[in-house]
Amino acid sequence: MTEPVPKVGVGVLVCNGSQHVLIGKRRSSIGDGTYALPGGHLDFGETWEECAAREVKEETGLSIHNIKFVYVTNTVLRDEKRPSHYVTIFMRGELVDPNAVAENLEPEKCDGWEWVEWPNVPQPVFRPLQSLIESNYQLS
Ligand SMILES: CC(C)CCOP(=O)(O)OP(=O)(O)O
Ligand SMILES: [Mg+2]
Ligand SMILES: [Mg+2]
Ligand SMILES: [Mg+2]
């Protein structure tokens, strides 16, 4: 079998101003049933900020701004149905409208969005996000 090519993902800490971030349980061939941040594949020609804003909008309907780089992880997922290797760029962004409600716009890919107090993400945690938590990143 030809080896999978490493890809770039962007994960987003969507901040609502009260130490909470948005998480959802993945329905995917990669990390199925694990809790992850909104985000996705970096598309050709995108900046990291553009990808963060696009993926959050596509997946939750939320608009974010003040988007900043947070951390980067290197994750080799060997025991998945489809082995894969991801470099994940973690970004953070604030809600443009602090009262906006997240919608689950891709129910085929996500069980639904919920706010949790960082870093208390429920188990099982998607591997790249677990690496960010273990880095002791602090929201404020
Ligand atoms: C696997 C992950 C680190 C990168 C891809 O994320 P994703 O499966 O949510 O991708 P899409 O949102 O682009 O479908
Ligand atoms: Mg997506
Ligand atoms: Mg996604
Ligand atoms: Mg995508």
Side-chain angles (χ1 to χ4, degrees), residues 9 26 30 39-41 55 59 86 88 109 126:
R26 290 176 62 87
I30 304 167
H41 292 92
E55 285 287 348
E59 299 183 350
Y86 276 93
T88 305
K109 290 185 176 179
F126 186 37

Side-chain angles (χ1 to χ4, degrees), residues 14-16 22 56-57 60-64 94-103 113 115:
V14 178
C15 305
N16 71 352
L22 204 58
V56 168
K57 191 70 173 175
T60 73
L62 296 173
S63 298
I64 57 173
E94 293 157 14
L95 291 178
V96 170
D97 171 2
N99 301 311
V101 175
E103 299 170 77
W113 300 111
W115 294 97

Side-chain angles (χ1 to χ4, degrees), residues 14 16 18-24 35 37 113-122 129 139:
V14 178
N16 71 352
S18 67
Q19 291 302 313
H20 286 66
V21 297
L22 204 58
I23 55 123
Y35 285 93
L37 302 173
W113 300 111
E114 57 187 289
W115 294 97
V116 297
E117 188 173 9
W118 180 260
N120 305 322
V121 178
L129 178 54
L139 272 192

Side-chain angles (χ1 to χ4, degrees), residues 8-10 26 28 30 37-43 54-55 58-59 77 84 86-88 106 109 126 128:
V8 179
V10 174
R26 290 176 62 87
S28 164
I30 304 167
L37 302 173
H41 292 92
L42 185 70
D43 288 346
R54 176 183 54 76
E55 285 287 348
E58 281 178 5
E59 299 183 350
L77 300 157
S84 56
Y86 276 93
V87 172
T88 305
E106 296 179 342
K109 290 185 176 179
F126 186 37

Side-chain angles (χ1 to χ4, degrees), residues 65-80:
H65 63 176
N66 299 335
I67 301 170
K68 302 272 188 267
F69 171 79
V70 165
Y71 195 66
V72 59
T73 62
N74 185 52
T75 312
V76 184
L77 300 157
R78 293 184 199 282
D79 48 4
E80 299 274 342

Side-chain angles (χ1 to χ4, degrees), residues 121-138:
V121 178
Q123 295 292 335
V125 179
F126 186 37
R127 285 259 313 279
L129 178 54
Q130 184 60 34
S131 301
L132 174 62
I133 292 169
E134 288 169 2
S135 77
N136 289 321
Y137 177 75
Q138 303 295 318

